Amino acid sequence: PGPSKVITGRASGDMVVRINSREPPGGGEPMLVFNLFRMQNGKIAEHWDGRNGSAMSAGAPPPPAPR
């Protein structure tokens, strides 16, 4: 993958999300990549990720809004 640029990051309770823009190899439209972490005792307990064009963005329901 090409260079990555952090677009935003947010935390709510034990959940942290980071969204990056990444240039694909060989050029073209930048892709959006997200990383979602569940923290426990100051460490990453679980991790999920996805990018535009993946199964996550192809009809999957959006995640619930932070409380």
Side-chain angles (χ1 to χ4, degrees), residues 32-51:
L32 294 178
V33 179
F34 81 88
N35 287 275
L36 179 63
F37 306 96
R38 184 178 66 82
M39 308 300 290
Q40 186 173 17
N41 299 323
K43 296 182 180 179
I44 297 171
E46 294 183 84
H47 170 251
W48 302 268
D49 58 22
R51 60 182 170 83

Side-chain angles (χ1 to χ4, degrees), residues 3-67:
S4 180
K5 174 184 170 189
V6 174
I7 294 179
T8 191
R10 297 284 188 269
S12 178
D14 62 353
M15 304 300 287
V16 178
V17 66
R18 181 185 69 204
I19 300 175
N20 292 18
S21 172
R22 178 168 291 178
E23 295 178 21
E29 272 301 303
M31 25 181 190
L32 294 178
V33 179
F34 81 88
N35 287 275
L36 179 63
F37 306 96
R38 184 178 66 82
M39 308 300 290
Q40 186 173 17
N41 299 323
K43 296 182 180 179
I44 297 171
E46 294 183 84
H47 170 251
W48 302 268
D49 58 22
R51 60 182 170 83
N52 61 331
S54 72
M56 288 298 297
S57 63
R67 292 185 234 164

